[in-house]
Amino acid sequence: MTGGVMDRLPGEAGAAPVAAAAEAEVDEEADPPAADSPTPQVSQRRDPHPSRMQMPQGNPLLLSCTLQELLARDTVQVELIPGKKGLFLKHVEYEVSSQRFKSSVYRRYNDFVVFHEMLLQKFPYRMVPALPPKRVLGADREFIEARRRALRRFINLVARHPPFSEDVALRLFLSFSGPDVQNKLKESAQCVGDEFMNCKLAPRAKDFLPADIQTQFAVSRELIRNIYNSFHKLRDRAERIASRAIDNAADLLIFGKELSALGSDTTPLPSWASLNSSTWGSLKQALKGLSVEFALLADKAAQQGKQEENDVVEKLNLFLDLLQSYKDLCERHEKGVLHKHQRALHKYSLMKRQMLSAAVQSREPESVEQLESRIVEENAIQTMELRSYFSLYCLHQETQLVHAYLPLTSHILGAFVNSQIQGHKEVGLPAPAWALPGSLALAGLVNCQGRATSWGAQDLETSPGHSCCLTCTLNSSGRVVPLIHGVGGGVQRETMKEAAFLLSWRNFGVR
């Protein structure tokens, strides 16, 4: 499963510098406008996508997207292109393929960085997922693969986000095949403004908000924080379980190879040691048979570990990335727009006091320049107030979007349970009985004197001069079922049953 980690539901067919720069851009975007940029009116706002910016029917605050509809918007694959590019400074390239645009383009990590910055600039009040960190030196294969997965999660969350999915920047990033996509992205954002400047509902956002929006915001933020903390722990445990399965597969494979090597040993056996017995030859044959079973077990364990990495751990990472972007948005709202709004209101109150003081002291009328400056300041304060309400408006919608993704968790956990059950079934039924009831329990060798030489069970009654190979299985009811492969003859079956029972209990602790 190389590229379909986020194309369907489970069970169904330098970040710090970037974030700092993005925060600076958001703060700059939220600053009160200058004198030549008065409070934007509806008639003055640019409308780059008239069909998208039409006034929606009903309450525009409510989202009606289901999880299936969100996932169906697009599936984007990000695959690593073998080999590093560049003459002096080597860099990694990725092939980014979109089902929606039926496109396949090549992108570098820096292209993702510019695209991320454009999203924060145009949508400062939306959940913009964070990018994985950039390592300048010493980027090993494990780091590059982890970053590739993180970039795939990022672009899929963006491609399925309702406002982002209709923006020209996403189309350019996923379909533009020209030589300089970074400049193309920057050009598309010039003179356009952010979402507040282009949304016709922005001046009326306050009218759609519930009266207790601040209380709802605080409760939602606490809930999302708790969900994030719990699923972060679940992800860590699931990752450890999948990793243990892969490690176990490696150990089983090595174990089987050692058995095979021992069973294939061609060192001649001295006659004085064997005493004309075929014990060593039969044991080597049994060990080679067990090595095949261990190889099968190793393959099944590796498949289970890889499946759980893709269907469970990776999708939990996707969900955590979404929750983290919500937490980042809440922080931007409080430290950015809300803080600046409060500063603007404080400045406005000081200005009013100065006006009252001037009226009481009967000072001379203000000059035209002073009046214009005051008007500009009042417009800036009003704009900040509108932005504050629009930020809450967007937060309300983003909270709904997070809850639309919540059903994904049940699919993820269901896939995890099914994987564990299937893994135990595969090990328990067709695999060797030493592992679980229903499979091969042991292979004991009985010598010509009637004693089980390999496992040390009780004496078995055999005819002198003959040997047999004892194999014991447990059926689904937990009962011992002996299988007798005689090299000679004369084994009494009742004694063999008893020996098989004792062997399984004494040497394997089968209950």
Side-chain angles (χ1 to χ4, degrees), residues 455-498:
W455 305 112
Q458 284 186 334
D459 290 355
L460 302 181
E461 298 181 16
T462 60
S463 300
H466 296 87
S467 63
C468 70
C469 180
L470 167 63
T471 303
C472 168
T473 65
L474 301 180
N475 61 18
S476 58
S477 301
R479 299 187 61 184
V480 178
V481 180
L483 302 176
I484 306 170
H485 307 283
V487 181
V491 180
Q492 296 184 8
R493 175 169 291 275
E494 293 301 322
T495 307
M496 289 292 293
K497 287 183 180 180
E498 179 184 2

Side-chain angles (χ1 to χ4, degrees), residues 20 83 86 91 105 140 143 150 187 207-208 238 259 274 347 354 395 432 467:
H91 61 267
V105 294
D140 52 18
F143 172 83
E187 290 174 2
D207 300 336
F208 301 104
L259 290 178
S274 61
K347 188 176 181 180
Q354 292 174 359
L395 258 175
S467 63

